[in-house]
Amino acid sequence: MTHRISLRARVLTAAAVTGMLVPVVAGAAPASAAAAPQVSCTSGKAGLAAKLQRDITAALATRGGTVAVGLRDRTTNTTCTLRATTAYDSASVVKVTVLATLLWDAKKTNRYLTSREAGLATAMITKSDNAATTALWNQLGITKVKGFLAAAGMTRTVPGTGGYWGLTRINVTDEQRLLSLITARNTVLSDNARAYLHKLMGQVVTSQRWGTPAGAPSGVAVHVKNGWLQRATRGWRVHSVGTFQGRGHDYTITVLTDGNSTMNYGVTTIQAVSKVIHRDLIPTAPAATRYAPTTTPQEAYIAVPRG
């Protein structure tokens, strides 16, 4: 049985005649509030959807900017979404797509990566090296990137133009789709490709292992890629995507943000959301065993057009 909770239905009352649960909104909310996106969760585990919806909402209650969230836990058949199709400038998060495209393209010609490609891929993911990313982006070209996006079903992702790969437009739905391809067998990426992507995302340097890993319990394998950039409008874009396996769970988290006043503000927002997700999925893990990211997070700063 799947349990569904949306913040729009804050109070449930039993309808005496039908015996069904009918959603009732408590009080008269202003029109602007009623139109605001709400966290929506479903789960095959009783009570979990309601808890996640409540705790994610609380974690964001005092945060500024525009935040999008995606969660999927295969073990409990749990999902949560907020602004699932809202588009954001990708920053370095797109580097996972670049590597996935390279591996997808190599699979089509039944070849291994060259030593040069492997070196660039390692630098791009584990250290977020921008020069390595540019080299692979230029090698692949927009046509191949679009080909991978189509094959992957990432229909709303739009590659950046003019060499600005960090301005690729991404969204929660497509990022969660990409993470699902990395974490489960499929016809788009080979098992070796998935293992390679996972390996590199698990070897990201400590200074860049912030964001979605925050609060992950020990015994849960963490794989992450983050990104940030600043533009003249809408402030800092700060994002984190991660996959997590262990303690009886197999889940992916995407948190995308913009409108942040500073880079650290966006990091704090992402980590507040991530901590409650990890806690709600695996509540028995002691607080002392949960991952605490560096207090001085780093990421490669991406060039963007002026203005």
Side-chain angles (χ1 to χ4, degrees):
M1 179 179 180
T2 298
H3 305 266
R4 181 180 298 273
I5 289 291
S6 172
L7 187 59
R8 296 180 188 277
R10 298 188 180 184
V11 180
L12 296 177
T13 59
V17 175
T18 63
M20 297 175 63
L21 288 178
V22 179
V24 177
V25 178
S32 58
Q38 307 290 322
V39 178
S40 178
C41 297
T42 66
S43 182
K45 181 178 179 180
L48 181 56
K51 185 166 181 56
L52 281 163
Q53 176 268 311
R54 181 175 62 249
D55 291 345
I56 294 171
T57 300
L60 293 174
T62 62
R63 307 303 296 175
T66 302
V67 184
V69 179
L71 163 68
R72 182 190 180 196
D73 178 29
R74 288 189 178 93
T75 309
T76 57
N77 193 26
T78 296
T79 63
C80 289
T81 59
L82 172 66
R83 295 187 177 92
T85 58
T86 299
Y88 294 78
D89 295 327
S90 66
S92 286
V93 166
V94 77
K95 292 170 181 177
V96 180
T97 298
V98 174
L99 180 51
T101 302
L102 179 66
L103 295 167
W104 169 80
D105 185 60
K107 176 190 173 188
K108 291 199 301 180
T109 55
N110 196 32
R111 71 173 182 87
Y112 294 105
L113 298 189
T114 66
S115 58
R116 169 187 169 276
E117 289 171 333
L120 291 172
T122 298
M124 176 175 67
I125 300 298
T126 65
K127 298 186 293 184
S128 206
D129 186 278
N130 287 338
T133 309
T134 297
L136 291 173
W137 182 268
N138 290 340
Q139 172 185 317
L140 291 164
I142 293 291
T143 299
K144 287 184 178 179
V145 174
K146 287 183 176 179
F148 168 74
L149 294 173
M154 298 168 65
T155 58
R156 294 174 182 253
T157 298
V158 181
T161 59
Y164 292 108
W165 42 261
L167 296 186
T168 296
R169 298 291 280 170
I170 63 173
N171 60 83
V172 159
T173 296
D174 282 4
E175 290 303 300
Q176 286 290 97
R177 171 64 177 161
L178 177 60
L179 296 179
S180 73
L181 292 175
I182 296 171
T183 54
R185 299 192 75 174
N186 59 85
T187 59
V188 180
L189 296 172
S190 69
D191 290 348
N192 285 339
R194 296 191 303 104
Y196 185 64
L197 271 157
H198 241 176
K199 181 184 78 169
L200 294 186
M201 290 176 68
Q203 294 176 348
V204 168
V205 296
T206 301
S207 62
Q208 296 179 11
R209 291 173 68 84
W210 49 268
T212 53
S218 62
V220 172
V222 172
H223 313 84
V224 66
K225 187 71 196 82
N226 301 320
W228 64 46
L229 62 81
Q230 183 184 28
R231 302 192 73 181
T233 58
R234 301 196 63 78
W236 285 85
R237 286 80 163 142
V238 187
H239 314 313
S240 182
V241 299
T243 76
F244 307 89
Q245 294 83 32
R247 288 181 172 257
H249 289 270
D250 176 7
Y251 56 108
T252 60
I253 302 173
T254 295
V255 187
L256 310 178
T257 76
D258 71 8
N260 299 292
S261 55
T262 66
M263 171 273 295
N264 276 318
Y265 187 91
V267 172
T268 300
T269 296
I270 293 170
Q271 293 185 168
V273 173
S274 302
K275 286 175 183 177
V276 300
I277 290 174
H278 291 299
R279 185 191 67 206
D280 288 353
L281 288 178
I282 310 174
T284 57
T289 70
R290 295 183 180 273
Y291 180 68
T294 175
T295 57
T296 55
Q298 296 181 7
E299 181 52 58
Y301 188 80
I302 293 174
V304 298
R306 293 190 177 187

